[in-house]
Amino acid sequence: MPTEKKISSASDCINSMVEGSELKKVRSNSRIYHRYFLLDADMQSLRWEPSKKDSEKAKIDIKSIKEVRTGKNTDIFRSNGISDQISEDCAFSVIYGENYESLDLVANSADVANIWVTGLRYLISYGKHTLDMLESSQDNMRTSWVSQMFSEIDLDNLGHVTLCNAVQCIRTLNPGLKMSKIELKFKELHKSKDKAGTEVIKEEFIEVFHELCTRPEIYFLLVQFSSNKEFLDTKDLMMFLEAEQGLAHINEEISLEIIHKYEPSKEGQGQGWLSIDGFTNYLMSPDCYIFDPEQKKVCQDMKQPLSHYFINSSHNTYLIEDQFRGPSDITGYIRALKMGCRSVELDVWDGPDNEPVIYTGHTMTSQIVFRSVIDIINKYAFSASEYPLILCLENHCSVKQQKVMVQHMRKILGDQLYTTSPNVEDSYLPSPDVLKRKILIKAKKLSSNCSGVEGDVTDEDEGAEMSQRMGKESLEQPPNHVPGRRFQLCKELSELVSICKSVQFKDFQVSFQAQKYWEVCSFNEVLASKYANENPGDFVNYNKRFLARVFPSPMRIDSSNMNPQDFWKCGCQIVAMNFQTPGLMMDLNIGWFRQNGNCGYVLRPAIMREEVSFFSANTKDSVPGVSPQLLHIKIISGQNFPKPKGSGAKGDVVDPYVYVEIHGIPADCAEQKTKTVHQNGDTPIFDESFEFQINLPELAMVRFVVLDDDYIGDEFIGQYTIPFECLQTGYRHVPLQSLTGEVLAHASLFVHVAITNRRGGGKPHKRGLSVRKGKKSREYASLRTLWIKTIDEVFKTAQPPIRDATDLRENMQNAVASFKELCGLSSVANLMQCMLAVAPRFLGPDNAPLVVLNLSEQYPTMELQGIVPEVLKKIVTTYDTMIQSLKALIENADAVYEKIVHCQKAGTGGSPEVREERDLGQPEANPLRCCLLWAE
């Protein structure tokens, strides 16, 4: 059956409005009326029925409409008792009359709401000239371009082309479309016209192109910024890039570059216009992907100690299947190193012909020669990242074959091996920057007082533990303590180990007192989970100075993966993953290390690095000293979802829905799902918005998952996982990936992302302004009492300026929130969007300004011009309040800061020696940190 016709122009919107729609009319006191709304055929008034009013009163003249406002952004919507039950995307308001009254409406779908909003705005803009504009738009730039495409395949100027050529041409213009769908659309059209034959004429080609290649959600977005034209000019595009996409320093030259790059028509390129097709090309390009391009290169400080980074790590790297019977292969190392892995595992045993081999001991996995693995590591070690590679050497060889291992590593890896002895006077490991293109060996090391050519050390045998588990031996023993056997270690191999000496973990207090910064402990997943739950604060503090490696439980004989977030939240740097096993856990690992140029090193949050900070990994509330942020995500639509592999129960039918998951500390973990769109995997429209509070943004990830709704069991279609800090705000496409991580061709989600700050902070250049906090008592920062009278007395004087700063910030946020409400916008909006929204209201009937913006002062002010409506006076007054709050915040900020710094200096007695006495090992240590350390 023919599918429902898509909206692809203002004419389509007007025609739909003339036919009419059922809308809900919202009144105060929770009253809602179902009414049928339609546009008069002469396009002069908006009517509704039934109504108790006279038919001449149940209407609004189009010329009296001041504004059409989207969302629930009027007093009636905000005060209505059932507002929470109304979708933001289906609500809109018509503001009309001299008193700015509102007609508040709710459509059955976001699409219907968009049709009415677009059509009414078009009527407001063009008034009595609407018909002329609609007629002229029929022969518009887009139609001319599509006609030209038709002419290029109609080589003989016959006026028609074969069905095959027409289908192929449209597929070339839109590669995501299926050939069968295009062909079916032409056949539907011919059937509706009772046309025989398969030739396609130009008019049919244009109609099918418009039908299949127009995305209504992008068209509605275009007309929002195009002043109701069918294209964006350079100024329109500038406004979109700045107000919606959050780009700074945009000018007309940049807009023109984008138009020349993405606009397909010569006319558009020549005029500097971006048509719906050019706009779609731009929004679907990598320029508008959700991942921040700044994060595609190394952009974090790489001069911190090695222990301050999460490190992309592999477990049993040599395996390509499960860890009990699976084959070993050098491709495991190639895959991991190409993916940016910076810690690989070598489980080395005696092999035939005096050649060590790699495999999982006590299992049936196959073997590979140690020398060939070292060759591969030498070839690929720095192919994806120039930062240090850690070889986790699990050595089970005899002394004789240990010497062969040393020969191979010295000969093949040469100067890349880092063998410099650690400086006992230092307190922290060297930085990744210092260790560029170096290979570190993590293994057992002989004690410094060993004078012989070999010595006795404890074995670390993960395979033996697995074998015992499989045989149900030692089930009563602690999870990380298999009876240790000792073996002989040759001095040559010991000398290759420098700053990653493997040692046995005893407990946190022993480590804090005796462990050296160059010593590394490995934790079984079960034991690490125990510490994460029972000693979360100690675990975080431990990882500030020492490297911790966590490896999967030996009971995971299928090589399934643990959740890396469970250990990242404790600061564990080396969380070893089974790269050969796809799924949620590897999605999190791959997504996390996609940031910072995929170099394999991600700087941990400051709260996990600073000596004086305290952070509990299991916090279920906001994190002290970290500003929570609100993440607003709207899932708009999907494109070209493939049928799940191996699924044939429903033929080619796909019933998709989307999960949005937040992964991070326990306080942040959450998920929301959209409704199911039935029988549409090609262009499903979701139009659903979600909000999440993120308490520790630096450790949070967002995962988009698309599933096929099936009564037998929902099946996986695609996913994309991204660190919160890598999100780009605005309208973005999310490229979907398969279960094994491959990009799904042409499959994507179209979303809108906004990030607002609950209590300041964040990234103001691209992350919206703060939103007003609910009617709760203000939360003031508190200072920890150290019970040292002189110090506590000094820092007491810092409390008042900190409270003042909090009040100033809250006042500013509240003023901004009030201004947004009066502008008719939600809390997600930024100030540029506010100014765009109110600008049309500042013009009188004769286009004379009612309000002007005075830019001559340091802070721009609004000035009334004569007598204006009360609602405009209110906007100007609220704007003035906001500016005064901003001035107070800025003018007092320096004074508050100076007061706090004075307290810091007083606390340290002004003595720079305090830093040296504490031997922080970090030149950037600030006075407050030194003072608190000294006080302790």
Side-chain angles (χ1 to χ4, degrees):
M1 294 295 292
T3 54
E4 188 178 344
K5 183 174 172 61
K6 283 185 181 177
I7 300 294
S8 62
S9 66
S11 179
D12 292 338
C13 294
I14 299 293
N15 290 336
S16 179
M17 291 164 63
V18 170
E19 291 176 10
S21 308
E22 184 180 287
L23 304 173
K24 296 171 189 172
K25 183 180 176 185
V26 180
R27 302 296 298 271
S28 57
N29 302 323
S30 305
R31 289 178 295 172
I32 292 182
Y33 303 95
H34 291 261
R35 297 289 183 260
Y36 195 81
F37 284 78
L38 69 161
L39 179 67
D40 273 354
D42 61 3
M43 293 183 283
Q44 297 302 305
S45 58
L46 171 65
R47 296 181 180 274
W48 60 92
E49 53 189 38
S51 173
K52 293 179 181 177
K53 296 180 181 178
D54 181 88
S55 60
E56 286 303 306
K57 292 184 178 179
K59 70 173 187 177
I60 295 175
D61 290 337
I62 297 298
K63 61 185 178 184
S64 72
I65 298 177
K66 306 290 187 185
E67 175 192 357
V68 182
R69 192 177 292 179
T70 58
K72 300 178 291 186
N73 292 306
T74 62
D75 289 339
I76 286 180
F77 268 129
R78 294 189 190 104
S79 61
N80 192 289
I82 59 171
S83 180
D84 289 345
Q85 301 172 28
I86 297 171
S87 166
E88 182 83 18
D89 306 308
C90 296
F92 65 100
S93 303
V94 179
I95 312 299
Y96 65 98
E98 293 304 315
N99 295 323
Y100 287 78
E101 299 173 68
S102 70
L103 173 64
D104 300 286
L105 303 170
V106 181
N108 291 328
S109 70
D111 259 359
V112 173
N114 282 326
I115 288 170
W116 281 91
V117 169
T118 301
L120 287 171
R121 285 175 174 173
Y122 200 93
L123 290 166
I124 295 169
S125 295
Y126 296 110
K128 61 184 180 181
H129 302 296
T130 299
L131 275 174
D132 297 334
M133 293 301 299
L134 290 175
E135 288 173 6
S136 65
S137 68
Q138 299 305 312
D139 187 29
N140 60 18
M141 178 173 69
R142 188 188 197 199
T143 303
S144 301
W145 170 67
V146 179
S147 298
Q148 183 185 342
M149 294 298 101
F150 179 85
S151 299
E152 289 181 8
I153 58 173
D154 182 17
L155 300 175
D156 298 324
N157 294 318
L158 299 175
H160 61 80
V161 297
T162 65
L163 177 62
C164 179
N165 285 347
V167 169
Q168 188 60 53
C169 182
I170 289 181
R171 174 67 185 278
T172 303
L173 297 173
N174 192 337
L177 286 173
K178 298 173 184 172
M179 300 280 276
S180 58
K181 183 174 181 177
I182 305 170
E183 185 174 340
L184 181 62
K185 184 59 66 176
F186 277 114
K187 289 179 178 177
E188 284 178 3
L189 185 60
H190 288 168
K191 179 74 173 174
S192 67
K193 295 180 177 179
D194 294 326
K195 177 180 175 180
T198 59
E199 288 81 11
V200 175
I201 62 174
K202 181 171 74 173
E203 289 74 17
E204 293 168 345
F205 183 84
I206 293 172
E207 184 173 344
V208 170
F209 177 85
H210 279 208
E211 185 77 10
L212 293 179
C213 299
T214 303
R215 288 175 50 186
E217 70 275 25
I218 292 182
Y219 171 73
F220 291 133
L221 179 60
L222 179 141
V223 294
Q224 280 184 43
F225 286 88
S226 68
S227 303
N228 300 301
K229 304 187 295 292
E230 297 291 307
F231 57 83
L232 297 169
D233 59 29
T234 52
K235 289 184 178 177
D236 297 331
L237 184 56
M238 276 176 60
M239 203 63 72
F240 171 75
L241 295 174
E242 290 180 329
E244 279 297 345
Q245 304 301 83
L247 301 182
H249 312 299
I250 297 297
N251 52 42
E252 289 196 52
E253 287 72 23
I254 292 174
S255 291
L256 207 53
E257 285 177 18
I258 291 173
I259 291 170
H260 287 157
K261 184 175 181 180
Y262 295 107
E263 173 55 40
S265 71
K266 298 294 183 187
E267 180 185 357
Q269 292 183 20
Q271 297 278 5
W273 295 342
L274 194 65
S275 68
I276 178 64
D277 300 293
F279 193 42
T280 302
N281 291 341
Y282 171 62
L283 287 175
M284 294 190 72
S285 74
D287 288 348
C288 286
Y289 279 177
I290 196 169
F291 190 85
D292 186 348
E294 289 297 311
Q295 290 280 353
K296 290 183 178 179
K297 57 181 183 290
V298 175
C299 56
Q300 296 176 357
D301 178 8
M302 301 304 288
K303 296 181 179 179
Q304 298 272 338
L306 207 62
S307 59
H308 285 185
Y309 298 84
F310 296 115
I311 302 172
N312 195 358
S313 309
S314 165
H315 175 249
N316 288 353
T317 316
Y318 45 88
L319 292 179
I320 55 175
E321 289 180 20
D322 71 77
Q323 65 185 42
F324 193 67
R325 297 182 180 85
S328 304
D329 198 282
I330 57 172
T331 57
Y333 290 95
I334 297 172
R335 175 186 58 206
L337 292 171
K338 281 187 171 182
M339 291 172 69
C341 181
R342 296 289 84 198
S343 172
V344 297
E345 185 177 359
L346 297 87
D347 200 346
V348 194
W349 299 79
D350 281 351
D353 303 322
N354 201 35
E355 280 291 346
V357 293
I358 290 177
Y359 72 102
T360 304
H362 317 288
T363 68
M364 292 178 278
T365 57
S366 61
Q367 303 175 0
I368 48 177
V369 178
F370 176 79
R371 184 185 65 247
S372 62
V373 171
I374 298 300
D375 275 327
I376 286 297
I377 288 173
N378 181 54
K379 183 176 180 181
Y380 292 98
F382 303 107
S383 61
S385 171
E386 61 180 349
Y387 291 100
L389 174 66
I390 301 172
L391 304 187
C392 295
L393 210 60
E394 198 173 308
N395 171 29
H396 312 285
C397 291
S398 62
V399 169
K400 182 179 179 183
Q401 293 209 14
Q402 287 177 32
K403 292 180 179 179
V404 176
M405 289 168 58
V406 174
Q407 289 172 9
H408 289 325
M409 286 192 284
R410 285 199 179 277
K411 181 179 178 182
I412 297 169
L413 301 178
D415 292 341
Q416 294 176 112
L417 287 169
Y418 185 83
T419 57
T420 306
S421 297
N423 187 345
V424 293
E425 295 181 359
D426 290 340
S427 300
Y428 288 88
L429 290 164
S431 70
D433 191 66
V434 167
L435 297 169
K436 271 183 183 177
R437 303 192 73 84
K438 290 295 181 183
I439 295 176
L440 314 178
I441 305 296
K442 175 200 167 291
K444 289 290 183 177
K445 186 175 177 68
L446 296 173
S447 62
S448 55
N449 57 11
C450 179
S451 57
V453 295
E454 57 189 61
D456 200 32
V457 294
T458 306
D459 189 10
E460 282 187 317
D461 190 350
E462 296 173 19
E465 185 180 353
M466 181 174 68
S467 177
Q468 290 178 3
R469 298 279 173 198
M470 292 297 293
K472 298 188 177 178
E473 302 170 20
S474 67
L475 289 177
E476 303 302 317
Q477 297 184 18
N480 206 42
H481 298 283
V482 176
R485 74 174 181 87
R486 301 185 71 80
F487 75 102
Q488 292 298 108
L489 176 65
C490 77
K491 192 166 187 177
E492 292 99 314
L493 183 55
S494 175
E495 288 173 347
L496 293 184
V497 180
S498 170
I499 55 173
C500 289
K501 175 186 176 182
S502 293
V503 296
Q504 188 80 26
F505 180 81
K506 292 183 175 61
D507 62 51
F508 289 116
Q509 291 310 312
V510 170
S511 293
F512 290 145
Q513 293 170 14
Q515 187 172 335
K516 305 295 189 293
Y517 71 86
W518 61 82
E519 294 176 336
V520 182
C521 292
S522 289
F523 297 84
N524 177 303
E525 167 193 354
V526 180
L527 186 69
S529 296
K530 177 177 178 288
Y531 290 141
N533 291 322
E534 296 178 5
N535 310 90
D538 286 339
F539 213 172
V540 171
N541 286 334
Y542 173 85
N543 288 318
K544 288 176 181 177
R545 183 165 299 189
F546 309 115
L547 285 177
R549 177 176 178 268
V550 180
F551 60 89
S553 165
M555 289 304 292
R556 295 183 182 273
I557 58 173
D558 60 350
S559 290
S560 59
N561 274 306
M562 53 194 173
N563 187 342
Q565 279 277 7
D566 290 344
F567 309 105
W568 290 336
K569 72 182 182 183
C570 300
C572 296
Q573 302 88 348
I574 306 174
V575 181
M577 304 292 288
N578 290 309
F579 272 51
Q580 73 274 26
T581 308
L584 166 62
M585 304 314 171
M586 267 311 291
D587 291 343
L588 295 177
N589 194 75
I590 293 169
W592 182 249
F593 287 103
R594 192 177 278 127
Q595 62 185 308
N596 200 29
N598 197 35
C599 74
Y601 286 83
V602 171
L603 189 62
R604 297 185 309 166
I607 201 167
M608 290 184 171
R609 307 191 310 263
E610 294 172 349
E611 291 289 346
V612 296
S613 63
F614 175 77
F615 170 66
S616 171
N618 289 333
T619 180
K620 291 182 170 59
D621 204 348
S622 57
V623 179
V626 178
S627 298
Q629 300 197 335
L630 286 178
L631 171 63
H632 312 262
I633 292 182
K634 181 179 180 181
I635 307 294
I636 302 171
S637 64
Q639 294 77 45
N640 310 311
F641 294 158
K643 183 70 181 170
K645 287 185 178 179
S647 172
K650 301 186 295 182
D652 289 333
V653 174
V654 178
D655 302 310
Y657 66 95
V658 182
Y659 261 110
V660 182
E661 304 169 350
I662 307 297
H663 297 266
I665 61 173
D668 291 342
C669 292
E671 64 180 26
Q672 299 267 18
K673 63 171 282 193
T674 68
K675 63 180 181 294
T676 296
V677 177
H678 294 287
Q679 300 185 19
N680 187 353
D682 296 327
T683 56
I685 299 291
F686 299 101
D687 271 325
E688 290 194 56
S689 300
F690 306 117
E691 182 180 290
F692 303 93
Q693 178 166 320
I694 312 296
N695 294 285
L696 186 55
E698 290 174 281
L699 206 59
M701 279 192 285
V702 183
R703 185 171 183 255
F704 300 90
V705 190
V706 183
L707 298 172
D708 183 14
D709 196 342
D710 195 339
Y711 61 90
I712 298 175
D714 298 350
E715 298 191 66
F716 178 88
I717 293 176
Q719 69 84 33
Y720 187 79
T721 307
I722 179 172
F724 177 86
E725 292 289 297
C726 296
L727 289 170
Q728 287 207 98
T729 54
Y731 288 92
R732 304 290 171 184
H733 275 89
V734 181
L736 294 177
Q737 297 178 339
S738 70
L739 192 64
T740 52
E742 292 90 11
V743 174
L744 296 171
H746 311 298
S748 63
L749 286 171
F750 186 44
V751 303
H752 182 265
V753 178
I755 297 171
T756 54
N757 300 341
R758 281 298 296 269
R759 302 189 64 79
K763 298 182 178 178
H765 67 280
K766 71 171 191 177
R767 292 199 188 278
L769 291 169
S770 305
V771 295
R772 182 164 54 181
K773 202 167 164 56
K775 294 181 179 179
K776 298 179 182 178
S777 59
R778 286 186 178 171
E779 299 172 11
Y780 295 99
S782 58
L783 297 178
R784 185 172 61 180
T785 302
L786 300 177
W787 305 109
I788 301 175
K789 186 175 180 181
T790 52
I791 300 297
D792 288 339
E793 288 297 322
V794 167
F795 276 90
K796 266 186 184 177
T797 59
Q799 192 77 35
I802 289 175
R803 290 179 67 91
D804 291 344
T806 302
D807 287 335
L808 289 167
R809 183 184 62 195
E810 292 281 349
N811 292 342
M812 171 64 186
Q813 291 176 356
N814 291 342
V816 170
S818 297
F819 184 63
K820 289 178 183 178
E821 285 186 5
L822 285 175
C823 292
L825 297 175
S826 69
S827 60
V828 177
N830 57 46
L831 283 185
M832 180 173 290
Q833 291 166 340
C834 291
M835 299 308 288
L836 285 173
V838 298
R841 306 184 211 172
F842 292 166
L843 290 177
D846 55 353
N847 283 334
L850 300 176
V851 179
V852 297
L853 204 61
N854 184 351
L855 303 177
S856 61
E857 303 295 328
Q858 182 180 3
Y859 299 94
T861 57
M862 285 185 182
E863 298 176 357
L864 297 172
Q865 305 294 300
I867 300 173
V868 299
E870 281 300 316
V871 66
L872 290 187
K873 286 183 183 177
K874 197 171 181 181
I875 289 175
V876 171
T877 303
T878 307
Y879 175 84
D880 185 57
T881 301
M882 181 178 70
I883 292 298
Q884 294 306 316
S885 300
L886 174 63
K887 286 174 67 175
L889 184 65
I890 293 173
E891 290 169 1
N892 285 278
D894 287 342
V896 170
Y897 177 75
E898 287 298 326
K899 182 78 173 174
I900 295 172
V901 169
H902 173 73
C903 292
Q904 292 177 356
K905 288 179 178 176
T908 57
S911 171
E913 287 77 19
V914 173
R915 304 185 191 192
E916 296 174 8
E917 287 175 12
R918 289 298 307 184
D919 190 22
L920 291 175
Q922 292 179 295
E924 73 278 8
N926 62 49
L928 179 57
R929 285 184 60 195
C930 295
C931 179
L932 291 177
L933 284 169
W934 170 64
E936 289 172 353

